[in-house]
Amino acid sequence: EPPVLQFDVTSDTEPREAFYPIHSLERFMDWVKNPALLPLWEVLKKIAKELEGPLDLMREDLGYYKLVKYYTKSQFEPFLAICIQKTHVSLYLPPLGRNQHLVLTMPQPLLRHKTGKATLRFFSEGDTAIEHLPKLLQDCLHTWVDAGIIS
């Protein structure tokens, strides 16, 4: 049975809550580049949600999740974004690009997913490299604590 997501639907008369299997959400999420990657996106988002205490949730839409640290309503420092692409799910992690020591200490399974200064690409929710993400995210968070961005 496919996973079921809660989704607000507006009928012709009034908004209502509805539950739809992922395969029937296609008409509501044309902007999601590859709905088949939603389970992987959910796995990565669940790991990142653990950081919502010290960080601020900027956006959480189907296929896109972003954590930042707000200074004011319009000024913020980006920490993480998880986005579904056509063939993979990207994890953008700006602290990784600014702290080279984090890259030097990354486990080899995660290094194989690194595609840019601050980008990791994942293709499957069963990838064993994902088990190393919580520590990497905590290490990135600690660099922000050390830099005084968060307390």
Side-chain angles (χ1 to χ4, degrees):
E1 184 172 328
V4 176
L5 300 175
Q6 189 170 359
F7 196 78
D8 281 327
V9 177
T10 304
S11 70
D12 293 339
T13 56
E14 62 186 32
R16 67 180 191 272
E17 291 286 309
F19 292 89
Y20 291 92
I22 286 177
H23 66 299
S24 70
L25 282 174
E26 290 179 29
R27 66 187 182 116
F28 296 111
M29 53 185 202
D30 291 335
W31 54 271
V32 173
K33 294 179 183 175
N34 186 346
L37 291 170
L38 278 168
L40 171 57
W41 177 79
E42 286 285 348
V43 166
L44 299 177
K45 182 183 80 165
K46 182 179 179 185
I47 293 168
K49 275 185 124 4
E50 296 295 318
L51 303 176
E52 281 186 20
L55 297 170
D56 304 309
L57 177 62
M58 180 180 212
R59 183 172 165 195
E60 182 175 359
D61 295 324
L62 210 52
Y64 189 87
Y65 178 82
K66 187 171 186 175
L67 290 175
V68 301
K69 183 60 181 175
Y70 279 110
Y71 298 118
T72 66
K73 191 171 184 170
S74 61
Q75 293 181 324
F76 60 88
E77 185 81 28
F79 182 83
L80 166 149
I82 303 169
C83 310
I84 294 179
Q85 305 298 338
K86 286 185 180 182
T87 61
H88 62 278
V89 177
S90 289
L91 171 65
Y92 303 101
L93 199 55
L96 193 60
R98 294 188 207 120
N99 297 281
Q100 190 61 32
H101 71 279
L102 294 173
V103 176
L104 297 173
T105 60
M106 276 175 69
Q108 193 61 38
L110 275 180
L111 275 174
R112 285 193 283 273
H113 292 276
K114 191 170 177 301
T115 59
K117 282 186 174 183
T119 306
L120 301 169
R121 288 184 182 175
F122 294 93
F123 298 88
S124 165
E125 62 269 22
D127 191 325
T128 57
I130 294 172
E131 69 191 42
H132 299 282
L133 274 179
K135 182 179 181 329
L136 177 63
L137 296 182
Q138 284 297 323
D139 291 347
C140 288
L141 192 66
H142 288 140
T143 64
W144 276 27
V145 170
D146 294 344
I149 298 171
I150 58 174
S151 51

